[in-house]
């Protein structure tokens, strides 16, 4: 299902997060941790209405630079937990949705970029990838992109959904397509 | 005390985005300061630098006499309130308010006292055991404020705290925030893109655009004496009208074939400053354009023929959008229902309320007695 993982990084106080999560999502489970980063799986039933609210709550209670990333579960197909955890502290602190986070990682770390690119290429067939580039070229206009690709509009929409399902990347957003542009164009 | 001093503060994000440029401001103890400006103008960045969540690229930030550029957020004695009803859903109201103090390992009885005091101020005494789900929107918002109050901070930082609320609740919370500030007088920096919020809440407003401060002043100063075209256009709804034309050398403002006479003091000032025969932008607020005969008789040389484009009846007032010399102008007059599209009507500019802007510098031409008037 459409389960989410929340990645949290703090420089000093990671401990209180654990009790916090019990207060916020009683069913949540920590599924990976390093001394400064926690990966917490949130079951769909407890999905926060707006994960940015959670970021703000934590910020106002902890008062230190923290980073919070809201990642769909499929995101773990793109990068190992180790590499995610390594990249987070190097980014400017703040709240990131998944797509924006990937763009930042791609910009900051050429070697991680290579890994993400390789992983996407192994999950998605080349047609899907080139379709996404076409979609970008047609300014996210599905009808125009579909006719240029000689496929039915619904086919293209189906493929976009399938990209999201397999990689977690929402290509209905500008930022999602930008990831494909940065990696494959 | 909560005194802040911004000295030449600048923020450049990596990737060379200059978000804030040369920000200078002195905030007095107990003041309610509002940063206002369009999205992306650098309000949140400035606030985050005060909070210590963003490094300061250049300049100095001094809070209560102490340079805090390198002081971590927790040691700055500030409390943050963000846009949200956001509360920990599985914690009681009490625990939501107490959580920050528990993290700081304050003694239990102190926590209880502070939460009780804040609950008293906010009228939440009877709700302390409830979960957020069982609260109304307004109650939740008050708990969110309570979370800040319990900290006994010297400065409150609020980033668009009301922007997620529906219009009615927003108005109600605005009033409640003002009341709260009157009561506890904590120095507050409040960020919003909503100029009405700024005008109704602030002791002083800081108008920002493109990373630069455009003007600092009380709401009435910023409204009556805008520094430049940006401030004139941003503060006030409907916005100030800007009419392009030029001055002659005889005390008139010329728009194509229309000639409007300036009051003597205005003209003397403009002439003295070298604006005779120059292109100018004439600014006039909608409420300073009238349709009643008394005003027309008082300023016969500022009566202009308009063709009506739209007339909107809004309760006790009517907003007339009308055209003259190919320029659209909005006038706010007393309610009337006898106006139709394409009617020709006469309106009169209250020229004593006129503003003149230099189109090159975008600055408003200052009046001679302005400093005295502004300080009244
Ligand atoms: N973390 C960041 N990295 C790069 N640029 C940023 C970052 N945060 C904000 N900016 C940019 O800085 C400028 C000011 O943003 P912000 O302070 O959020 O504006 P406001 O709060 O007034 O809407 C904008 O151009 C914005 O895109
Ligand atoms: Mg902002």
């Amino acid at each position: 299902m459409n389960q989410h993982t929340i990645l949290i990084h703090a420089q000093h106080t990671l401990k209180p997060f654990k009790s916090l999560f019990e207060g916020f999502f009683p069913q949540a489970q920590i599924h990976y941790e390093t001394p400064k980063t926690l990966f917490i799986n949130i079951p769909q039933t407890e999905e926060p209405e707006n994960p940015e609210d959670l970021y703000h709550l934590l910020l106002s209670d902890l008062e230190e630079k923290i980073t919070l990333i809201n990642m769909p579960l499929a995101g773990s197909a793109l990068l190992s937990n180790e590499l995610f955890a390594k990249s987070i502290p190097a980014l400017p602190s703040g709240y990131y949705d998944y797509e924006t986070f990937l763009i930042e990682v791609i910009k900051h770390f050429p070697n991680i970029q290579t890994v993400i690119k390789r992983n996407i290429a192994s999950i998605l067939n080349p047609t899907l990838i080139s379709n996404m580039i076409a979609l970008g070229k047609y300014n996210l206009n599905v009808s125009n992109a579909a006719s240029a690709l000689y496929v039915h509009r619904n086919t293209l929409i189906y493929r976009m959904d399938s990209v999201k399902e397999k990689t977690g990347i929402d290509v209905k957003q500008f930022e999602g397509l930008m990831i494909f542009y940065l990696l494959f164009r | 005390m909560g005194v802040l001093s911004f000295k030449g503060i600048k923020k450049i994000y990596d990737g060379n985005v200059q978000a804030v440029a040369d920000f200078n401001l002195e905030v007095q103890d107990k003041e309610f300061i509002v940063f206002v400006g369009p999205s992306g103008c650098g309000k949140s960045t400035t606030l985050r630098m005060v909070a210590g969540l963003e490094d300061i690229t250049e300049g100095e930030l001094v809070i209560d006499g102490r340079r805090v550029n390198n002081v971590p957020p927790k040691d700055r004695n500030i409390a943050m309130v963000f846009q949200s009803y956001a509360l920990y859903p599985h914690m009681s109201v009490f625990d939501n308010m107490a959580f920050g103090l528990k993290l700081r390992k304050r003694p239990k009885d102190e926590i209880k006292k502070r939460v009780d005091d804040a609950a008293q101020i906010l009228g939440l005494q009877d709700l302390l055991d409830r979960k957020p789900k069982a609260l109304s929107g307004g109650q939740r918002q008050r708990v969110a404020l309570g979370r800040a109050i319990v900290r006994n901070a010297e400065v409150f930082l609020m980033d668009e705290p009301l922007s997620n609320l529906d219009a009615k609740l927003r108005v109600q919370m605005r009033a409640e925030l003002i009341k709260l500030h009157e009561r506890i007088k904590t120095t507050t920096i409040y960020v919003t893109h909503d100029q009405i919020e700024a005008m109704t809440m602030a002791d002083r407003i800081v108008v920002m655009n493109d990373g630069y401060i455009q003007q600092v002043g009380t709401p009435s100063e910023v409204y009556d004496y805008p520094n430049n075209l940006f401030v004139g256009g941003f503060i006030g709804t409907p916005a100030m009208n800007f009419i392009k034309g030029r001055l002659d050398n005889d005390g008139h403002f010329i728009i194509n074939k229309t000639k409007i006479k300036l009051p003597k003091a205005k003209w003397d000032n403009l002439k003295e400053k070298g604006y005779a025969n120059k292109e100018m932008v004439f600014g006039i607020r909608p409420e300073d354009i009238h349709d009643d005969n008394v005003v027309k008789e008082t300023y016969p040389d500022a009566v202009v023929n308009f063709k009506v484009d739209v007339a909107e009846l809004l309760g006790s007032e009517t907003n007339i959008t009308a055209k003259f010399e190919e320029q659209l102008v909005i006038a706010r007059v007393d309610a009337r229902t006898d106006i139709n599209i394409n009617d020709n009507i006469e309106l009169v500019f209250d020229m004593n309320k006129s503003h003149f802007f230099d189109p090159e510098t975008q600055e408003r031409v200052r009046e001679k007695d302005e400093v005295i008037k502004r300080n009244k």
Side-chain angles (χ1 to χ4, degrees):
Chain A
M1 280 313 281
N2 215 358
Q3 201 176 318
H4 277 244
T5 304
I6 284 182
L7 283 57
I8 292 190
H9 164 76
Q11 277 157 353
H12 306 293
T13 27
L14 204 50
K15 247 203 213 146
F17 284 136
K18 299 193 184 175
S19 66
L20 259 176
F21 271 88
E22 281 152 26
F24 214 94
F25 315 108
Q27 316 276 328
Q29 282 182 340
I30 295 174
H31 92 104
Y32 181 75
E33 64 180 295
T34 72
K36 292 188 172 180
T37 312
L38 285 182
F39 288 42
I40 298 157
N41 281 350
I42 314 288
Q44 197 188 20
T45 48
E46 292 196 339
E47 222 171 278
E49 269 173 42
N50 179 359
E52 199 167 359
D53 282 349
L54 173 61
Y55 165 73
H56 283 145
L57 268 172
L58 295 174
L59 200 59
S60 55
D61 279 327
L62 297 168
E63 290 194 300
E64 67 160 307
K65 292 182 182 174
I66 59 173
T67 296
L68 190 148
I69 299 150
N70 183 37
M71 181 170 89
L73 211 58
S76 58
L78 297 199
L79 209 57
S80 64
N81 291 337
E82 289 77 7
L83 281 180
F84 269 128
K86 221 167 98 183
S87 61
I88 297 169
L91 300 178
S93 67
Y95 171 77
Y96 295 86
D97 63 29
Y98 178 56
E99 288 78 12
T100 318
F101 170 66
L102 283 180
I103 290 172
E104 288 295 320
V105 169
I106 289 168
K107 279 198 318 212
H108 279 79
F109 307 100
N111 47 341
I112 298 188
Q113 170 177 352
T114 317
V115 179
I116 294 177
K117 183 173 170 173
R118 197 174 56 219
N119 287 341
I120 292 181
S122 73
I123 304 167
L124 302 180
N125 72 44
T127 314
L128 279 185
I129 293 175
S130 65
N131 281 185
M132 295 309 112
I133 299 294
L135 201 54
K137 214 158 112 189
Y138 287 90
N139 294 321
L140 277 145
N141 184 320
V142 178
S143 302
N144 292 355
S147 63
L149 293 165
Y150 300 102
V151 299
H152 193 272
R153 198 188 127 85
N154 290 346
T155 309
L156 189 54
I157 291 175
Y158 174 82
R159 286 176 186 173
M160 290 164 79
D161 290 341
S162 139
V163 167
K164 175 151 189 200
E165 201 175 298
K166 290 175 174 156
T167 64
I169 300 171
D170 181 0
V171 285
K172 290 176 181 164
Q173 291 184 42
F174 170 77
E175 285 81 3
L177 274 187
M178 181 151 158
I179 295 165
F180 284 87
Y181 253 66
L182 290 171
L183 293 175
F184 294 102
R185 202 184 53 152
Chain B
M1 285 267 283
V3 177
L4 294 97
S5 171
F6 298 77
K7 299 179 178 169
I9 301 269
K10 190 181 207 181
K11 175 70 190 186
I12 299 178
Y13 283 110
D14 52 66
N16 280 330
V17 181
Q18 174 169 291
V20 178
D22 195 29
F23 193 101
N24 290 287
L25 180 72
E26 303 288 323
V27 179
Q28 310 300 321
D29 188 32
K30 304 187 170 61
E31 228 182 343
F32 197 110
I33 288 269
V34 176
F35 294 174
V36 69
S39 171
C41 72
K43 307 178 295 288
S44 295
T45 300
T46 309
L47 202 73
R48 290 169 63 86
M49 287 192 283
V50 179
L53 299 171
E54 209 68 78
D55 293 333
I56 295 169
T57 310
E58 224 180 278
E60 275 202 329
L61 178 66
V62 177
I63 302 180
D64 289 336
R66 179 170 64 137
R67 184 184 192 271
V68 296
N69 289 46
N70 300 314
V71 174
K74 347 175 146 17
D75 302 328
R76 291 189 183 196
N77 218 350
I78 46 151
M80 303 175 227
V81 181
F82 295 97
Q83 64 177 354
S84 59
Y85 285 50
L87 298 171
Y88 301 110
H90 298 277
M91 287 186 197
S92 67
V93 168
F94 183 95
D95 287 334
N96 264 285
M97 295 211 268
F99 194 75
L101 298 173
K102 282 188 188 159
L103 286 182
R104 275 171 195 70
K105 304 210 160 51
R106 311 305 309 173
K108 258 203 164 119
D109 46 347
E110 182 193 327
I111 294 178
K112 178 155 179 4
K113 176 159 190 337
R114 288 215 217 164
V115 173
D116 285 342
D117 287 350
Q120 169 90 41
I121 291 172
L122 294 161
L124 294 169
Q125 305 95 309
D126 299 334
L127 305 175
L128 289 172
D129 295 330
R130 290 217 192 149
K131 294 278 166 63
K133 249 198 287 245
L135 301 177
S136 72
Q139 289 167 338
R140 265 185 245 181
Q141 195 76 31
R142 273 187 269 149
V143 177
L145 289 175
R147 288 167 36 78
I149 294 173
V150 296
R151 306 274 303 287
N152 288 352
E154 297 295 350
V155 184
F156 284 163
L157 304 178
M158 306 194 180
D159 196 344
E160 313 237 7
L162 309 184
S163 63
N164 283 348
L165 307 182
D166 63 48
K168 198 172 143 210
L169 188 52
R170 202 177 322 140
V171 172
Q172 185 189 322
M173 284 310 299
R174 240 189 246 158
E176 217 158 305
L177 273 173
I178 296 169
K179 251 184 7 207
L180 175 67
H181 182 253
E182 273 165 11
R183 206 152 158 191
I184 64 174
K185 295 271 185 227
T186 304
T187 306
T188 302
I189 303 181
Y190 185 102
V191 162
T192 180
H193 65 277
D194 178 347
Q195 54 95 19
I196 297 178
E197 219 163 272
M199 293 293 284
T200 49
M201 300 179 81
D203 290 324
R204 283 192 303 155
I205 295 179
V206 177
V207 185
M208 298 177 68
N209 190 30
D210 276 346
Y212 287 88
I213 294 184
Q214 303 291 314
Q215 186 162 1
V216 181
T218 62
S220 67
E221 250 181 313
V222 168
Y223 191 80
D224 292 331
Y225 302 98
N227 276 354
N228 52 37
L229 283 168
F230 176 80
V231 177
F234 188 78
I235 301 288
T237 39
M240 182 184 279
N241 295 292
F242 295 124
I243 298 163
K244 291 192 196 112
R246 72 181 169 81
L247 292 167
D248 66 4
N249 58 7
D250 190 27
H252 298 93
F253 187 65
I254 317 279
I255 313 117
N256 277 335
K257 289 178 194 131
T258 306
K259 211 172 172 182
I260 299 170
K261 193 168 161 65
L262 272 58
K264 183 168 183 321
K266 293 244 178 211
W267 166 242
D268 286 348
N269 180 50
L270 286 164
K271 191 162 77 173
E272 193 177 302
K273 295 196 164 126
Y275 288 107
N277 294 316
K278 290 268 165 67
E279 304 274 321
M280 292 301 272
V281 176
F282 160 48
I284 186 120
R285 295 210 177 268
E287 65 268 28
D288 296 325
I289 306 177
H290 301 272
D291 66 342
D292 56 295
N293 290 329
V294 181
V295 189
K296 284 182 201 162
E297 279 156 25
T298 318
Y299 304 109
D301 300 322
V303 177
V304 173
N305 276 309
F306 284 85
K307 186 169 218 147
V308 175
D309 205 52
V310 186
E312 269 180 296
L313 181 63
L314 306 159
S316 62
E317 287 161 347
T318 296
N319 282 346
I320 305 173
T321 307
K323 216 178 202 179
F324 85 111
E325 301 290 9
E326 298 303 307
Q327 308 203 39
L328 275 182
V329 168
I330 297 186
R332 182 151 74 203
V333 300
D334 287 345
R336 52 186 284 186
T337 51
D338 59 337
I339 304 178
N340 296 305
I341 295 181
N342 290 332
D343 281 358
N344 287 308
I345 54 166
E346 277 189 341
L347 294 172
V348 56
F349 298 117
D350 179 350
M351 294 307 287
N352 283 317
K353 300 279 178 61
S354 62
H355 302 281
F356 286 90
F357 297 87
D358 182 330
E360 244 162 68
T361 62
Q362 314 254 307
E363 300 282 307
R364 184 176 55 86
V365 180
R366 301 283 190 281
E367 318 235 337
K368 274 194 199 124
D369 55 352
E370 186 167 316
V371 181
I372 307 160
K373 276 204 231 154
R374 282 170 78 150
N375 290 333
K376 260 209 303 238

